[in-house]
Every structure is written in structure tokens, then in C-alpha cells.
Amino acid sequence: MGGQYRVTGDKYPRMRPSRRRGRLALLVGACAAVLGVLGWGTLQLVDVFTGGDKASAAGGAADCPAEATASPGTTADAASLPAPGRITVNVLNATTRSGLAQKTADELKKRGFRIGDVTNAPKEFDKKVEGTGILLGPAAALKTSLPVLGAQLPAAERRADAARKDTTVDLIIGNGFKGLAVKAEADRATAALAAPRPTATAEKKDC
């Protein structure tokens, strides 16, 4: 070449990137790779010593639930149920059908109950009971006398009379009354009240 850009001598300049710049890029890439491997390994170790155990415990609880088993037991209510002979029943007729209270009282007496008053229902109930009937007694009777009497008339409503001072209970006959339960069915219902009942308990399985 001639003129202003004439090259002299027997050596020519080499047009290529500097080796120093290439080595720097290679070093940066290697460092990034090493840091990535170290970070991944750290996360795996943390998972093994912490998260892994928690996941196993949670999985075990979900996959291996406690089983409910029944063990025999007697409820306190069953133990406190009185026999029919210890229950005094007032039979009150709230319907317009005459003689219904006496007929019902006679049948209850045959089934072992003690009979108190047999008459028409008081004004607050007279001709106002649309269902089969109402069993009324002191608050304590809700878990003692009324369930036993209720076996004779299962569809009757049970109520507590806070003002009652004695232990007698009332059977108030309503317009839907068609008679007491069949004696055999009433006897089975009474026996079921006093029978031991299974109590559910949780049993843990090994998984």
C-alpha cells in the first residue's frame, strides 16, 4: 500500500480481540455456575433437615387417619332412668273426644305406670294441641321420666315445666292422638333406653 497509509517493515498488525477480555468472560461464567450448584445443594440440605420431615408428618396425618372404634359403656342418663312403676302420670285430654283420658290412663296402668289425675287439660292447652300430644314435667324429667313415658308415645313433644314442684309428669292428649304405641314396640324402646351404648374412641394406626 502506498500513500499516507503505507506500511513499512515485515510485521503486520493482528486484528483480533485481546486474550485478557476472553479470559475474564470465561472466569465470570465459571463463577456463576459454581454459585448455582452451591445454591441448589443448600436448598436440598434445608429441605432434608426441615421441610422433608414436616411434609412426611403432614402426609402421614392425611394418609393415616385415626380410626374410630366402639367400646361398650353406659351413659349417665341410662343409669338414672326410673322404672315405670316409679313414674306418676297425669293424663289430660285436650281434645273434644270424651273418655280419651280415662282409656289412655287405664292402658298406661296396665303397662306399669302410676296414674295421678285423669281429667281435661287446663285452659292453656285445651283444644290447642294439634299434634299427638305433649309430655310435660320438671326440668329434671327431660332426661329421666319423660324418655320412659315417651317410649309409649314416641311422637309426643317433650317440655319442661319450670314452675313444677313435684316429680309428676303430664301426658296431654292432642288432636293427632290415635293411641299409645304397640306394647311390644314400647317395651323394646324402653329396653333400648337402659341398654349399654357404645362409646366411640379414636385409635391411631401405625403407617
Side-chain angles (χ1 to χ4, degrees):
M1 296 178 67
Q4 182 179 357
Y5 300 101
R6 194 168 100 189
V7 178
T8 61
D10 57 355
K11 293 183 180 180
Y12 297 93
R14 297 181 179 181
M15 307 300 290
R16 63 182 182 181
S18 172
R19 292 183 178 178
R20 182 178 300 174
R21 186 175 300 175
R23 290 176 180 174
L24 180 61
L26 181 62
L27 181 61
V28 171
C31 290
V34 171
L35 290 176
V37 172
L38 289 176
W40 180 83
T42 302
L43 289 175
Q44 292 300 311
L45 288 174
V46 170
D47 182 65
V48 168
F49 289 105
T50 58
D53 292 340
K54 292 179 181 179
S56 298
D63 299 336
C64 186
E67 287 186 345
T69 58
S71 59
T74 303
T75 63
D77 291 346
S80 61
L81 291 175
R86 297 178 57 192
I87 301 174
T88 301
V89 184
N90 302 314
V91 184
L92 311 176
N93 187 3
T95 75
T96 58
R97 291 176 282 173
S98 62
L100 198 56
Q102 187 61 58
K103 181 180 178 181
T104 303
D106 291 344
E107 182 61 30
L108 286 174
K109 186 175 182 179
K110 292 178 183 177
R111 299 185 184 189
F113 290 88
R114 298 173 62 183
I115 303 301
D117 296 333
V118 181
T119 184
N120 293 327
K123 185 176 180 180
E124 61 179 309
F125 295 108
D126 191 28
K127 302 179 183 63
K128 297 177 183 178
V129 181
E130 296 300 328
T132 300
I134 296 174
L135 306 183
L136 186 65
L142 288 173
K143 294 184 178 181
T144 54
S145 301
L146 292 188
V148 177
L149 181 59
Q152 311 300 320
L153 194 62
E157 179 185 354
R158 301 175 192 178
R159 296 185 188 178
D161 181 6
R164 183 156 305 198
K165 302 301 182 182
D166 57 24
T167 60
T168 63
V169 295
D170 298 342
L171 190 162
I172 305 173
I173 301 173
N175 292 327
F177 181 83
K178 292 182 173 57
L180 298 175
V182 176
K183 186 177 185 304
E185 296 178 358
D187 290 344
R188 284 195 294 269
T190 302
L193 289 172
R197 300 180 184 179
T199 302
T201 57
E203 180 179 341
K204 188 177 180 180
K205 296 190 301 181
D206 294 330
C207 298

